[in-house]
């Protein structure tokens, strides 16, 4: 009994110390130094916190398992080391049922736990909004992005679109951000993006949103979320898709609803309305000439 009491009292200061350390962590540290959060901890989307929580908590569990494993290895190496004057092999044990049950059951519990929490969060992430505030089609192509903002059936507005070109280096060697394809999203509005590919497999990745989805020929993927913080976010293709894969970049601007509507109006003023696929086919294959246009010419 006395030994158990001493053990309990030894755990108390350890618990207090752990709580004090965690309480002193900044929001950046609590989120595992992942992107997608401001210094005060505000997430970029309604799902960013959940993804970061799964990541950080998984690492905490793995580190605890690692510390216990390393501790047992060190303890065995010290306690059962060969001492001066000893020779030959130590006493060999064939079975130790408690230990064998322990290292069978504990890994099983860990695997089931990781699977359960991952499946739960994945189900939430993959649940698509039936009636989103904003419906967008994002199309990957070698090596740029096109975006179509679908019209509203209630007010009869047509879809509008923008066609992008691959990243171009600025005079100083950096990427010219002003020429990157840019996706506009209204803050605090539900968004559903339909992901399509024109050629090979691409992957749509907005880095700060902590999520990415592949894009295939013949199979459309969908992604539903709500942007919760205004700002400009970097995006890129996360699937090796050819020679200029590294130049397949884009930006995402999360803006107020008014700025979003102004942007759509600017596309209408340019005559960029209708189905983007029809427009792309028309501009790519000029009828009766056999000629094609480049993305740069289409944007001009």
């Amino acid at each position: 009994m006395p030994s158990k009491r001493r053990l309990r009292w030894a755990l108390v200061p350890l618990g207090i110390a752990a709580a004090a350390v965690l309480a002193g962590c900044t929001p950046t540290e609590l989120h595992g130094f992942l992107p997608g959060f401001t210094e005060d901890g505000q997430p970029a989307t309604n799902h960013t916190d959940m993804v970061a929580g799964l990541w950080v908590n998984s690492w905490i569990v793995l580190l605890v398992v690692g510390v216990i494993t390393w501790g047992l290895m060190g303890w065995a190496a010290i306690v059962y080391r060969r001492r001066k004057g000893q020779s030959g092999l130590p006493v060999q044990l064939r079975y130790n049922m408690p230990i064998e049950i322990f290292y069978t059951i504990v890994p099983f519990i860990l695997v089931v736990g990781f699977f359960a929490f991952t499946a739960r969060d994945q189900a939430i992430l993959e649940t698509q909004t039936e009636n989103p505030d904003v419906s967008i089609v994002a199309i990957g192509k070698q090596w740029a992005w096109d975006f179509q903002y679908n019209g509203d059936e209630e007010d009869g507005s047509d879809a509008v679109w923008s066609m992008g070109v691959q990243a171009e280096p600025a005079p100083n060697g950096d990427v010219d951000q002003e020429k990157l394809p840019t996706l506009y999203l209204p803050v605090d509005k539900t968004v559903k993006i339909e992901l399509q590919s024109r050629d090979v497999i691409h992957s749509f990745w907005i880095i700060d949103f902590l999520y990415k989805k592949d894009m295939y020929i013949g199979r459309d993927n969908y992604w539903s979320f709500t942007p919760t913080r205004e700002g400009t976010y970097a995006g890129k293709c996360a699937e090796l898709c050819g020679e200029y894969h590294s130049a397949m970049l884009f930006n995402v601007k999360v803006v107020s609803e008014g700025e979003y509507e102004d942007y759509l109006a600017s596309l209408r003023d340019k005559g960029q309305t209708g189905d983007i696929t029809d427009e792309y086919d028309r501009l790519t294959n000029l009828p009766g000439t056999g000629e094609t246009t480049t993305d740069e010419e289409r944007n001009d």
Side-chain angles (χ1 to χ4, degrees):
M1 289 295 293
S3 62
K4 290 184 178 180
R5 287 177 181 171
R6 284 196 294 270
L7 180 60
R8 291 194 192 101
W9 283 110
L11 292 175
V12 171
L14 288 176
I16 295 174
V21 169
L22 291 175
C25 289
T26 64
T28 301
E29 292 167 340
L30 288 174
H31 290 115
F33 298 96
L34 290 173
F37 298 90
T38 58
E39 292 184 359
D40 62 359
Q42 184 182 4
T45 75
N46 62 321
H47 291 153
T48 308
D49 244 334
M50 180 180 63
V51 176
L54 179 64
W55 172 262
V56 172
N57 290 328
S58 296
W59 272 109
I60 291 173
V61 173
L62 293 173
L63 286 173
V64 170
V65 172
V67 168
I68 294 173
T69 303
W70 300 324
L72 290 173
M73 291 170 61
W75 175 79
I78 294 171
V79 172
Y80 297 105
R81 71 188 185 279
R82 184 189 295 274
R83 289 173 172 77
K84 187 176 181 180
Q86 289 182 335
S87 61
L89 295 173
V91 177
Q92 302 296 297
L93 299 176
R94 182 170 298 180
Y95 300 108
N96 189 314
M97 289 303 294
I99 291 180
E100 292 183 13
I101 292 173
F102 175 80
Y103 68 59
T104 300
I105 296 298
V106 171
F108 177 76
I109 293 173
L110 290 174
V111 170
V112 170
F114 281 128
F115 175 82
F117 286 110
T118 302
R120 179 201 64 184
D121 291 354
Q122 180 177 300
I124 296 172
L125 287 167
E126 291 298 323
T127 299
Q128 304 304 324
T129 304
E130 292 300 324
N131 297 298
D133 297 320
V134 175
S135 176
I136 296 172
V137 180
I139 304 172
K141 60 187 181 183
Q142 292 178 313
W143 290 271
W145 305 88
D146 296 339
F147 302 115
Q148 175 174 303
Y149 305 84
N150 293 330
D152 191 331
E153 294 182 358
E154 293 184 1
D155 61 20
S157 59
D158 292 331
V160 295
W161 48 262
S162 66
M163 290 186 183
V165 297
Q166 68 192 55
E168 298 179 12
N172 62 358
D174 295 332
V175 172
D176 190 342
Q177 296 291 324
E178 295 300 320
K179 294 185 178 181
L180 288 182
T182 301
L183 172 65
Y184 278 74
L185 301 174
V187 70
D188 294 327
K189 297 292 183 181
T190 56
V191 175
K192 185 175 183 179
I193 301 180
E194 180 180 350
L195 303 171
Q196 300 179 2
S197 171
R198 293 202 190 279
D199 34 55
V200 300
I201 297 176
H202 300 286
S203 186
F204 186 79
W205 183 25
I206 304 173
I207 299 170
D208 280 18
F209 290 9
L210 303 184
Y211 197 61
K212 59 185 177 182
K213 296 200 77 168
D214 284 350
M215 312 163 83
Y216 308 91
I217 285 287
R219 174 184 172 182
D220 297 342
N221 269 338
Y222 295 87
W223 180 18
S224 297
F225 60 93
T226 302
T228 55
R229 175 162 50 85
E230 293 186 24
T232 300
Y233 304 94
K236 60 175 66 178
C237 176
E239 183 78 26
L240 183 59
C241 58
E243 183 178 4
Y244 296 103
H245 162 71
S246 61
M248 196 168 170
L249 309 176
F250 66 99
N251 282 326
V252 177
K253 288 185 179 293
V254 179
V255 297
S256 66
E257 186 176 4
E259 291 178 84
Y260 176 75
E261 293 298 336
D262 289 343
Y263 174 71
L264 298 189
S266 70
L267 295 179
R268 292 190 187 96
D269 292 342
K270 295 176 183 178
Q272 296 174 198
T273 60
D275 190 330
I276 191 173
T277 301
D278 294 340
E279 184 69 14
Y280 183 87
D281 291 341
R282 184 182 70 82
L283 294 174
T284 302
N285 302 295
L286 298 178
T289 65
E291 298 179 357
T292 62
T293 60
T294 64
D295 285 328
E296 290 88 347
E297 291 169 336
R298 285 194 292 276
N299 280 280
D300 292 337

